[in-house]
PDB file of all heavy atoms in Angstrom:
ATOM      1  N   GLN T 381      64.491  70.461  81.367  1.00  0.00           N
ATOM      2  CA  GLN T 381      64.509  70.587  79.877  1.00  0.00           C
ATOM      3  C   GLN T 381      65.767  71.298  79.438  1.00  0.00           C
ATOM      4  O   GLN T 381      66.369  70.885  78.444  1.00  0.00           O
ATOM      5  CB  GLN T 381      63.287  71.324  79.360  1.00  0.00           C
ATOM      6  CG  GLN T 381      63.132  71.278  77.898  1.00  0.00           C
ATOM      7  CD  GLN T 381      63.020  69.823  77.333  1.00  0.00           C
ATOM      8  OE1 GLN T 381      62.211  68.975  77.794  1.00  0.00           O
ATOM      9  NE2 GLN T 381      63.879  69.505  76.359  1.00  0.00           N
ATOM     10  N   SER T 382      66.130  72.283  80.268  1.00  0.00           N
ATOM     11  CA  SER T 382      67.360  72.924  79.682  1.00  0.00           C
ATOM     12  C   SER T 382      68.570  71.959  79.882  1.00  0.00           C
ATOM     13  O   SER T 382      69.528  72.112  79.046  1.00  0.00           O
ATOM     14  CB  SER T 382      67.485  74.285  80.435  1.00  0.00           C
ATOM     15  OG  SER T 382      68.492  74.225  81.488  1.00  0.00           O
ATOM     16  N   LEU T 383      68.588  71.149  80.888  1.00  0.00           N
ATOM     17  CA  LEU T 383      69.717  70.171  81.069  1.00  0.00           C
ATOM     18  C   LEU T 383      69.509  69.152  79.906  1.00  0.00           C
ATOM     19  O   LEU T 383      70.692  68.728  79.382  1.00  0.00           O
ATOM     20  CB  LEU T 383      69.560  69.363  82.377  1.00  0.00           C
ATOM     21  CG  LEU T 383      69.977  70.112  83.661  1.00  0.00           C
ATOM     22  CD1 LEU T 383      69.670  69.284  84.850  1.00  0.00           C
ATOM     23  CD2 LEU T 383      71.411  70.549  83.559  1.00  0.00           C
ATOM     24  N   VAL T 384      68.407  68.711  79.524  1.00  0.00           N
ATOM     25  CA  VAL T 384      68.215  67.772  78.327  1.00  0.00           C
ATOM     26  C   VAL T 384      68.775  68.389  77.168  1.00  0.00           C
ATOM     27  O   VAL T 384      69.448  67.770  76.319  1.00  0.00           O
ATOM     28  CB  VAL T 384      66.741  67.366  78.226  1.00  0.00           C
ATOM     29  CG1 VAL T 384      66.508  66.527  76.883  1.00  0.00           C
ATOM     30  CG2 VAL T 384      66.306  66.616  79.393  1.00  0.00           C
ATOM     31  N   ASP T 385      68.452  69.675  76.884  1.00  0.00           N
ATOM     32  CA  ASP T 385      68.955  70.396  75.740  1.00  0.00           C
ATOM     33  C   ASP T 385      70.453  70.489  75.572  1.00  0.00           C
ATOM     34  O   ASP T 385      71.099  70.314  74.627  1.00  0.00           O
ATOM     35  CB  ASP T 385      68.284  71.800  75.562  1.00  0.00           C
ATOM     36  CG  ASP T 385      66.811  71.786  75.363  1.00  0.00           C
ATOM     37  OD1 ASP T 385      66.308  70.650  75.037  1.00  0.00           O
ATOM     38  OD2 ASP T 385      66.158  72.754  75.788  1.00  0.00           O
ATOM     39  N   GLN T 386      71.077  70.699  76.856  1.00  0.00           N
ATOM     40  CA  GLN T 386      72.477  70.815  76.870  1.00  0.00           C
ATOM     41  C   GLN T 386      73.252  69.569  76.857  1.00  0.00           C
ATOM     42  O   GLN T 386      74.376  69.414  76.339  1.00  0.00           O
ATOM     43  CB  GLN T 386      72.925  71.520  78.319  1.00  0.00           C
ATOM     44  CG  GLN T 386      72.617  72.983  78.272  1.00  0.00           C
ATOM     45  CD  GLN T 386      73.030  73.530  79.742  1.00  0.00           C
ATOM     46  OE1 GLN T 386      72.099  73.592  80.531  1.00  0.00           O
ATOM     47  NE2 GLN T 386      74.300  73.741  79.993  1.00  0.00           N
ATOM     48  N   TYR T 387      72.644  68.475  77.353  1.00  0.00           N
ATOM     49  CA  TYR T 387      73.285  67.124  77.414  1.00  0.00           C
ATOM     50  C   TYR T 387      72.479  66.029  76.881  1.00  0.00           C
ATOM     51  O   TYR T 387      72.176  64.995  77.494  1.00  0.00           O
ATOM     52  CB  TYR T 387      73.639  66.744  78.926  1.00  0.00           C
ATOM     53  CG  TYR T 387      74.540  67.848  79.650  1.00  0.00           C
ATOM     54  CD1 TYR T 387      73.984  68.853  80.326  1.00  0.00           C
ATOM     55  CD2 TYR T 387      75.898  67.898  79.408  1.00  0.00           C
ATOM     56  CE1 TYR T 387      74.730  69.824  80.991  1.00  0.00           C
ATOM     57  CE2 TYR T 387      76.673  68.902  80.016  1.00  0.00           C
ATOM     58  CZ  TYR T 387      76.147  69.873  80.802  1.00  0.00           C
ATOM     59  OH  TYR T 387      76.832  70.814  81.341  1.00  0.00           O
ATOM     60  N   PRO T 388      72.212  66.116  75.540  1.00  0.00           N
ATOM     61  CA  PRO T 388      71.378  65.106  74.965  1.00  0.00           C
ATOM     62  C   PRO T 388      72.030  63.697  74.743  1.00  0.00           C
ATOM     63  O   PRO T 388      71.321  62.720  74.795  1.00  0.00           O
ATOM     64  CB  PRO T 388      71.211  65.682  73.496  1.00  0.00           C
ATOM     65  CG  PRO T 388      72.286  66.591  73.321  1.00  0.00           C
ATOM     66  CD  PRO T 388      72.654  67.152  74.634  1.00  0.00           C
ATOM     67  N   GLY T 389      73.400  63.708  75.049  1.00  0.00           N
ATOM     68  CA  GLY T 389      74.072  62.390  75.173  1.00  0.00           C
ATOM     69  C   GLY T 389      73.760  61.583  76.317  1.00  0.00           C
ATOM     70  O   GLY T 389      73.743  60.343  76.285  1.00  0.00           O
ATOM     71  N   LEU T 390      73.549  62.323  77.384  1.00  0.00           N
ATOM     72  CA  LEU T 390      73.159  61.660  78.652  1.00  0.00           C
ATOM     73  C   LEU T 390      71.740  61.543  78.932  1.00  0.00           C
ATOM     74  O   LEU T 390      71.223  60.591  79.596  1.00  0.00           O
ATOM     75  CB  LEU T 390      73.890  62.363  79.810  1.00  0.00           C
ATOM     76  CG  LEU T 390      73.587  61.893  81.162  1.00  0.00           C
ATOM     77  CD1 LEU T 390      74.234  60.407  81.383  1.00  0.00           C
ATOM     78  CD2 LEU T 390      74.317  62.750  82.229  1.00  0.00           C
ATOM     79  N   LEU T 391      70.924  62.677  78.598  1.00  0.00           N
ATOM     80  CA  LEU T 391      69.571  62.748  78.968  1.00  0.00           C
ATOM     81  C   LEU T 391      68.659  62.784  77.740  1.00  0.00           C
ATOM     82  O   LEU T 391      68.889  63.401  76.708  1.00  0.00           O
ATOM     83  CB  LEU T 391      69.292  64.067  79.706  1.00  0.00           C
ATOM     84  CG  LEU T 391      70.129  64.304  80.952  1.00  0.00           C
ATOM     85  CD1 LEU T 391      69.814  65.609  81.450  1.00  0.00           C
ATOM     86  CD2 LEU T 391      69.980  63.203  82.014  1.00  0.00           C
ATOM     87  N   LYS T 392      67.595  61.880  77.779  1.00  0.00           N
ATOM     88  CA  LYS T 392      66.759  61.804  76.607  1.00  0.00           C
ATOM     89  C   LYS T 392      65.597  62.824  76.703  1.00  0.00           C
ATOM     90  O   LYS T 392      65.306  63.551  75.694  1.00  0.00           O
ATOM     91  CB  LYS T 392      66.179  60.316  76.559  1.00  0.00           C
ATOM     92  CG  LYS T 392      65.833  59.905  75.118  1.00  0.00           C
ATOM     93  CD  LYS T 392      65.197  58.470  75.163  1.00  0.00           C
ATOM     94  CE  LYS T 392      66.214  57.504  74.530  1.00  0.00           C
ATOM     95  NZ  LYS T 392      65.792  56.175  74.752  1.00  0.00           N
ATOM     96  N   LEU T 393      64.922  62.731  77.839  1.00  0.00           N
ATOM     97  CA  LEU T 393      63.768  63.701  78.021  1.00  0.00           C
ATOM     98  C   LEU T 393      63.423  63.749  79.363  1.00  0.00           C
ATOM     99  O   LEU T 393      63.770  63.009  80.223  1.00  0.00           O
ATOM    100  CB  LEU T 393      62.630  63.286  77.094  1.00  0.00           C
ATOM    101  CG  LEU T 393      62.077  61.788  77.275  1.00  0.00           C
ATOM    102  CD1 LEU T 393      60.899  61.705  78.352  1.00  0.00           C
ATOM    103  CD2 LEU T 393      61.561  61.173  75.988  1.00  0.00           C
ATOM    104  N   VAL T 394      62.452  64.769  79.725  1.00  0.00           N
ATOM    105  CA  VAL T 394      61.869  64.929  81.005  1.00  0.00           C
ATOM    106  C   VAL T 394      60.294  64.978  80.770  1.00  0.00           C
ATOM    107  O   VAL T 394      59.858  65.502  79.704  1.00  0.00           O
ATOM    108  CB  VAL T 394      62.177  66.257  81.730  1.00  0.00           C
ATOM    109  CG1 VAL T 394      61.926  67.522  80.835  1.00  0.00           C
ATOM    110  CG2 VAL T 394      61.601  66.426  83.081  1.00  0.00           C
ATOM    111  N   ARG T 395      59.530  64.263  81.682  1.00  0.00           N
ATOM    112  CA  ARG T 395      58.099  64.264  81.452  1.00  0.00           C
ATOM    113  C   ARG T 395      57.476  64.185  82.812  1.00  0.00           C
ATOM    114  O   ARG T 395      58.094  63.819  83.845  1.00  0.00           O
ATOM    115  CB  ARG T 395      57.672  63.170  80.572  1.00  0.00           C
ATOM    116  CG  ARG T 395      57.905  61.769  81.321  1.00  0.00           C
ATOM    117  CD  ARG T 395      57.423  60.663  80.456  1.00  0.00           C
ATOM    118  NE  ARG T 395      57.885  59.379  80.943  1.00  0.00           N
ATOM    119  CZ  ARG T 395      58.515  58.499  80.306  1.00  0.00           C
ATOM    120  NH1 ARG T 395      58.726  58.540  79.046  1.00  0.00           N
ATOM    121  NH2 ARG T 395      58.948  57.333  80.940  1.00  0.00           N
ATOM    122  N   GLY T 396      56.268  64.596  82.882  1.00  0.00           N
ATOM    123  CA  GLY T 396      55.480  64.578  84.179  1.00  0.00           C
ATOM    124  C   GLY T 396      54.380  65.549  84.258  1.00  0.00           C
ATOM    125  O   GLY T 396      54.083  66.234  83.303  1.00  0.00           O
ATOM    126  N   LYS T 397      53.706  65.475  85.388  1.00  0.00           N
ATOM    127  CA  LYS T 397      52.706  66.502  85.761  1.00  0.00           C
ATOM    128  C   LYS T 397      52.850  66.946  87.146  1.00  0.00           C
ATOM    129  O   LYS T 397      53.173  66.131  88.031  1.00  0.00           O
ATOM    130  CB  LYS T 397      51.269  65.914  85.578  1.00  0.00           C
ATOM    131  CG  LYS T 397      50.861  65.737  84.076  1.00  0.00           C
ATOM    132  CD  LYS T 397      50.302  66.901  83.520  1.00  0.00           C
ATOM    133  CE  LYS T 397      49.823  66.606  82.146  1.00  0.00           C
ATOM    134  NZ  LYS T 397      49.547  67.853  81.309  1.00  0.00           N
ATOM    135  N   GLY T 398      52.667  68.188  87.519  1.00  0.00           N
ATOM    136  CA  GLY T 398      52.900  68.677  88.805  1.00  0.00           C
ATOM    137  C   GLY T 398      54.211  68.238  89.267  1.00  0.00           C
ATOM    138  O   GLY T 398      55.175  68.425  88.578  1.00  0.00           O
ATOM    139  N   LEU T 399      54.374  67.715  90.538  1.00  0.00           N
ATOM    140  CA  LEU T 399      55.690  67.300  91.026  1.00  0.00           C
ATOM    141  C   LEU T 399      55.850  65.816  91.025  1.00  0.00           C
ATOM    142  O   LEU T 399      56.572  65.239  91.770  1.00  0.00           O
ATOM    143  CB  LEU T 399      55.911  67.823  92.466  1.00  0.00           C
ATOM    144  CG  LEU T 399      56.274  69.382  92.488  1.00  0.00           C
ATOM    145  CD1 LEU T 399      56.314  69.875  93.970  1.00  0.00           C
ATOM    146  CD2 LEU T 399      57.632  69.552  91.887  1.00  0.00           C
ATOM    147  N   LEU T 400      55.206  65.230  89.942  1.00  0.00           N
ATOM    148  CA  LEU T 400      55.609  63.772  89.659  1.00  0.00           C
ATOM    149  C   LEU T 400      56.180  63.813  88.226  1.00  0.00           C
ATOM    150  O   LEU T 400      55.517  64.014  87.185  1.00  0.00           O
ATOM    151  CB  LEU T 400      54.297  62.960  89.560  1.00  0.00           C
ATOM    152  CG  LEU T 400      54.437  61.491  89.306  1.00  0.00           C
ATOM    153  CD1 LEU T 400      55.223  60.787  90.255  1.00  0.00           C
ATOM    154  CD2 LEU T 400      53.010  60.719  89.241  1.00  0.00           C
ATOM    155  N   ASN T 401      57.550  63.771  88.256  1.00  0.00           N
ATOM    156  CA  ASN T 401      58.252  63.829  86.999  1.00  0.00           C
ATOM    157  C   ASN T 401      59.460  62.773  86.851  1.00  0.00           C
ATOM    158  O   ASN T 401      59.644  62.126  87.808  1.00  0.00           O
ATOM    159  CB  ASN T 401      58.984  65.195  86.905  1.00  0.00           C
ATOM    160  CG  ASN T 401      57.889  66.351  86.952  1.00  0.00           C
ATOM    161  OD1 ASN T 401      57.070  66.447  85.944  1.00  0.00           O
ATOM    162  ND2 ASN T 401      57.801  67.095  88.038  1.00  0.00           N
ATOM    163  N   ALA T 402      59.837  62.601  85.639  1.00  0.00           N
ATOM    164  CA  ALA T 402      60.902  61.685  85.419  1.00  0.00           C
ATOM    165  C   ALA T 402      61.836  62.136  84.398  1.00  0.00           C
ATOM    166  O   ALA T 402      61.484  62.817  83.408  1.00  0.00           O
ATOM    167  CB  ALA T 402      60.326  60.300  84.974  1.00  0.00           C
ATOM    168  N   LEU T 403      63.114  61.856  84.616  1.00  0.00           N
ATOM    169  CA  LEU T 403      64.180  62.113  83.573  1.00  0.00           C
ATOM    170  C   LEU T 403      64.473  60.722  82.995  1.00  0.00           C
ATOM    171  O   LEU T 403      64.758  59.703  83.719  1.00  0.00           O
ATOM    172  CB  LEU T 403      65.483  62.571  84.171  1.00  0.00           C
ATOM    173  CG  LEU T 403      65.829  64.112  84.255  1.00  0.00           C
ATOM    174  CD1 LEU T 403      67.220  64.235  84.894  1.00  0.00           C
ATOM    175  CD2 LEU T 403      65.823  64.595  82.850  1.00  0.00           C
ATOM    176  N   VAL T 404      64.449  60.608  81.630  1.00  0.00           N
ATOM    177  CA  VAL T 404      64.861  59.338  81.052  1.00  0.00           C
ATOM    178  C   VAL T 404      66.305  59.518  80.588  1.00  0.00           C
ATOM    179  O   VAL T 404      66.654  60.443  79.919  1.00  0.00           O
ATOM    180  CB  VAL T 404      63.910  59.084  79.804  1.00  0.00           C
ATOM    181  CG1 VAL T 404      64.319  57.816  79.169  1.00  0.00           C
ATOM    182  CG2 VAL T 404      62.514  59.005  80.259  1.00  0.00           C
ATOM    183  N   ILE T 405      67.060  58.570  81.034  1.00  0.00           N
ATOM    184  CA  ILE T 405      68.556  58.518  80.658  1.00  0.00           C
ATOM    185  C   ILE T 405      68.775  57.989  79.335  1.00  0.00           C
ATOM    186  O   ILE T 405      68.104  56.967  78.945  1.00  0.00           O
ATOM    187  CB  ILE T 405      69.322  57.716  81.749  1.00  0.00           C
ATOM    188  CG1 ILE T 405      69.036  58.238  83.151  1.00  0.00           C
ATOM    189  CG2 ILE T 405      70.815  57.660  81.376  1.00  0.00           C
ATOM    190  CD1 ILE T 405      69.563  59.636  83.455  1.00  0.00           C
ATOM    191  N   ASN T 406      69.599  58.580  78.513  1.00  0.00           N
ATOM    192  CA  ASN T 406      69.903  58.128  77.084  1.00  0.00           C
ATOM    193  C   ASN T 406      70.736  56.828  77.219  1.00  0.00           C
ATOM    194  O   ASN T 406      71.870  56.958  76.734  1.00  0.00           O
ATOM    195  CB  ASN T 406      70.415  59.187  76.397  1.00  0.00           C
ATOM    196  CG  ASN T 406      70.350  59.022  74.830  1.00  0.00           C
ATOM    197  OD1 ASN T 406      69.790  57.946  74.497  1.00  0.00           O
ATOM    198  ND2 ASN T 406      70.820  59.968  74.047  1.00  0.00           N
ATOM    199  N   ASP T 407      70.229  55.806  77.738  1.00  0.00           N
ATOM    200  CA  ASP T 407      70.963  54.503  77.699  1.00  0.00           C
ATOM    201  C   ASP T 407      69.960  53.342  77.808  1.00  0.00           C
ATOM    202  O   ASP T 407      68.799  53.586  78.140  1.00  0.00           O
ATOM    203  CB  ASP T 407      71.948  54.625  79.029  1.00  0.00           C
ATOM    204  CG  ASP T 407      73.210  53.755  78.664  1.00  0.00           C
ATOM    205  OD1 ASP T 407      73.089  52.828  77.761  1.00  0.00           O
ATOM    206  OD2 ASP T 407      74.216  53.942  79.327  1.00  0.00           O
ATOM    207  N   SER T 408      70.483  52.133  77.611  1.00  0.00           N
ATOM    208  CA  SER T 408      69.436  51.035  77.617  1.00  0.00           C
ATOM    209  C   SER T 408      69.051  50.809  79.096  1.00  0.00           C
ATOM    210  O   SER T 408      69.724  51.057  80.087  1.00  0.00           O
ATOM    211  CB  SER T 408      70.221  49.782  77.083  1.00  0.00           C
ATOM    212  OG  SER T 408      70.523  48.891  78.178  1.00  0.00           O
ATOM    213  N   PRO T 409      67.761  50.234  79.293  1.00  0.00           N
ATOM    214  CA  PRO T 409      67.367  49.930  80.594  1.00  0.00           C
ATOM    215  C   PRO T 409      68.192  48.905  81.251  1.00  0.00           C
ATOM    216  O   PRO T 409      68.109  48.798  82.625  1.00  0.00           O
ATOM    217  CB  PRO T 409      65.923  49.398  80.403  1.00  0.00           C
ATOM    218  CG  PRO T 409      65.545  49.880  79.001  1.00  0.00           C
ATOM    219  CD  PRO T 409      66.810  50.012  78.217  1.00  0.00           C
ATOM    220  N   ASP T 410      69.064  48.228  80.580  1.00  0.00           N
ATOM    221  CA  ASP T 410      69.862  47.280  81.324  1.00  0.00           C
ATOM    222  C   ASP T 410      71.291  47.804  81.688  1.00  0.00           C
ATOM    223  O   ASP T 410      72.029  47.183  82.462  1.00  0.00           O
ATOM    224  CB  ASP T 410      70.315  46.140  80.215  1.00  0.00           C
ATOM    225  CG  ASP T 410      68.992  45.406  79.834  1.00  0.00           C
ATOM    226  OD1 ASP T 410      67.938  45.352  80.668  1.00  0.00           O
ATOM    227  OD2 ASP T 410      68.972  44.946  78.639  1.00  0.00           O
ATOM    228  N   SER T 411      71.542  49.067  81.340  1.00  0.00           N
ATOM    229  CA  SER T 411      72.801  49.745  81.769  1.00  0.00           C
ATOM    230  C   SER T 411      72.666  50.184  83.254  1.00  0.00           C
ATOM    231  O   SER T 411      71.503  50.204  83.777  1.00  0.00           O
ATOM    232  CB  SER T 411      72.994  50.877  80.916  1.00  0.00           C
ATOM    233  OG  SER T 411      72.021  51.932  81.277  1.00  0.00           O
ATOM    234  N   ASP T 412      73.798  50.428  83.809  1.00  0.00           N
ATOM    235  CA  ASP T 412      73.794  50.872  85.224  1.00  0.00           C
ATOM    236  C   ASP T 412      73.868  52.383  85.373  1.00  0.00           C
ATOM    237  O   ASP T 412      74.122  52.979  86.410  1.00  0.00           O
ATOM    238  CB  ASP T 412      74.827  50.088  86.151  1.00  0.00           C
ATOM    239  CG  ASP T 412      76.169  50.213  85.568  1.00  0.00           C
ATOM    240  OD1 ASP T 412      76.293  50.996  84.630  1.00  0.00           O
ATOM    241  OD2 ASP T 412      77.014  49.536  86.008  1.00  0.00           O
ATOM    242  N   THR T 413      73.650  53.063  84.192  1.00  0.00           N
ATOM    243  CA  THR T 413      73.936  54.475  84.156  1.00  0.00           C
ATOM    244  C   THR T 413      72.946  55.234  85.208  1.00  0.00           C
ATOM    245  O   THR T 413      73.385  56.163  85.912  1.00  0.00           O
ATOM    246  CB  THR T 413      73.580  55.044  82.803  1.00  0.00           C
ATOM    247  OG1 THR T 413      74.421  54.368  81.924  1.00  0.00           O
ATOM    248  CG2 THR T 413      74.073  56.585  82.662  1.00  0.00           C
ATOM    249  N   ALA T 414      71.713  54.873  85.226  1.00  0.00           N
ATOM    250  CA  ALA T 414      70.672  55.635  86.045  1.00  0.00           C
ATOM    251  C   ALA T 414      70.963  55.302  87.578  1.00  0.00           C
ATOM    252  O   ALA T 414      70.861  56.220  88.387  1.00  0.00           O
ATOM    253  CB  ALA T 414      69.179  55.181  85.727  1.00  0.00           C
ATOM    254  N   TRP T 415      71.374  53.986  87.805  1.00  0.00           N
ATOM    255  CA  TRP T 415      71.700  53.680  89.214  1.00  0.00           C
ATOM    256  C   TRP T 415      72.935  54.490  89.679  1.00  0.00           C
ATOM    257  O   TRP T 415      72.955  55.128  90.729  1.00  0.00           O
ATOM    258  CB  TRP T 415      72.021  52.181  89.351  1.00  0.00           C
ATOM    259  CG  TRP T 415      72.523  51.791  90.635  1.00  0.00           C
ATOM    260  CD1 TRP T 415      73.820  51.498  91.081  1.00  0.00           C
ATOM    261  CD2 TRP T 415      71.701  51.492  91.824  1.00  0.00           C
ATOM    262  NE1 TRP T 415      73.837  51.101  92.410  1.00  0.00           N
ATOM    263  CE2 TRP T 415      72.589  51.068  92.889  1.00  0.00           C
ATOM    264  CE3 TRP T 415      70.302  51.512  91.948  1.00  0.00           C
ATOM    265  CZ2 TRP T 415      72.049  50.749  94.098  1.00  0.00           C
ATOM    266  CZ3 TRP T 415      69.823  51.124  93.257  1.00  0.00           C
ATOM    267  CH2 TRP T 415      70.723  50.774  94.372  1.00  0.00           C
ATOM    268  N   ASN T 416      73.950  54.591  88.830  1.00  0.00           N
ATOM    269  CA  ASN T 416      75.134  55.426  89.136  1.00  0.00           C
ATOM    270  C   ASN T 416      74.871  56.906  89.243  1.00  0.00           C
ATOM    271  O   ASN T 416      75.453  57.603  90.077  1.00  0.00           O
ATOM    272  CB  ASN T 416      76.250  55.196  88.080  1.00  0.00           C
ATOM    273  CG  ASN T 416      76.860  53.797  88.237  1.00  0.00           C
ATOM    274  OD1 ASN T 416      76.755  53.104  89.244  1.00  0.00           O
ATOM    275  ND2 ASN T 416      77.344  53.265  86.951  1.00  0.00           N
ATOM    276  N   PHE T 417      73.925  57.266  88.469  1.00  0.00           N
ATOM    277  CA  PHE T 417      73.439  58.734  88.494  1.00  0.00           C
ATOM    278  C   PHE T 417      72.810  58.888  89.894  1.00  0.00           C
ATOM    279  O   PHE T 417      73.130  59.980  90.500  1.00  0.00           O
ATOM    280  CB  PHE T 417      72.417  58.846  87.441  1.00  0.00           C
ATOM    281  CG  PHE T 417      71.970  60.319  87.072  1.00  0.00           C
ATOM    282  CD1 PHE T 417      72.343  60.899  85.892  1.00  0.00           C
ATOM    283  CD2 PHE T 417      71.280  60.995  88.012  1.00  0.00           C
ATOM    284  CE1 PHE T 417      71.910  62.218  85.615  1.00  0.00           C
ATOM    285  CE2 PHE T 417      70.773  62.318  87.687  1.00  0.00           C
ATOM    286  CZ  PHE T 417      71.298  62.864  86.502  1.00  0.00           C
ATOM    287  N   CYS T 418      71.984  58.039  90.346  1.00  0.00           N
ATOM    288  CA  CYS T 418      71.437  58.214  91.708  1.00  0.00           C
ATOM    289  C   CYS T 418      72.371  58.091  92.808  1.00  0.00           C
ATOM    290  O   CYS T 418      72.252  58.719  93.768  1.00  0.00           O
ATOM    291  CB  CYS T 418      70.231  57.097  91.786  1.00  0.00           C
ATOM    292  SG  CYS T 418      68.810  57.514  90.790  1.00  0.00           S
TER     293      CYS T 418
END
Side-chain angles (χ1 to χ4, degrees):
Q381 188 58 52
S382 103
L383 288 175
V384 171
D385 294 342
Q386 284 173 265
Y387 301 97
L390 178 65
L391 305 176
K392 206 182 251 169
L393 56 91
V394 58
R395 65 176 171 232
K397 288 277 181 191
L399 281 172
L400 181 60
N401 297 293
L403 257 184
V404 181
I405 303 295
N406 196 359
D407 208 338
S408 104
D410 302 326
S411 71
D412 53 9
T413 310
W415 177 263
N416 292 333
F417 194 111
C418 288

